[in-house]
Amino acid sequence: MKHIYSIFIALTAFFPVKAQMVADSTTMQAAYSNQVFYSLNNGVINTVNNENWSIALSVVNTGSIGSSILLNEATSYLLAYPGDNSKWNTFYT
C-alpha cells in the first residue's frame, strides 16, 4: 500500500494543475430586490424581480424544525378549506 501512495504522489507531482483566477461580481440591488441566477461557466444567466413569486420553500438542515412555506402576500392570497380533502374538486374560489 505504501508503494501505491508513493507512485500516486510521484505522478501527481509531474502533472501540475494550472488554474486561472477570475474576478467577477453581480448585484442584487438595494434590499435584495433582484434574484440573480449565476453560472460558474457563463456568469449571470438571468435576473428576476424578487416580487415575482407566489410560494417559497425554506428548509433548515435536514429536519422540519425551522422549515417553512412562505407566501408572497403582495402578489398572492391563500385560501383555507376546512373540510374533507376528497371534495377539493368542488371547491370554488
Side-chain angles (χ1 to χ4, degrees):
M1 196 65 157
K2 192 185 297 185
H3 295 293
I4 293 174
Y5 289 133
S6 299
I7 292 170
F8 177 74
I9 291 172
L11 287 175
T12 56
F14 290 114
F15 297 105
V17 177
K18 293 183 179 179
Q20 292 180 345
M21 181 177 274
V22 176
D24 197 5
S25 65
T26 183
T27 179
M28 297 176 76
Q29 302 300 333
Y32 305 111
S33 61
N34 289 334
Q35 183 74 35
V36 178
F37 295 90
Y38 189 87
S39 165
L40 294 176
N41 292 328
N42 305 317
V44 175
I45 294 177
N46 197 5
T47 303
V48 180
N49 187 331
N50 251 347
E51 294 178 1
N52 190 18
W53 62 278
S54 297
I55 296 175
L57 305 174
S58 173
V59 179
V60 178
N61 296 328
T62 58
S64 60
I65 297 175
S67 300
S68 59
I69 299 173
L70 306 169
L71 177 71
N72 185 356
E73 295 174 357
T75 62
S76 307
Y77 58 93
L78 177 67
L79 300 171
Y81 179 73
D84 183 12
N85 63 2
S86 66
K87 298 180 182 179
W88 281 2
N89 60 345
T90 63
F91 183 60
Y92 180 73
T93 60

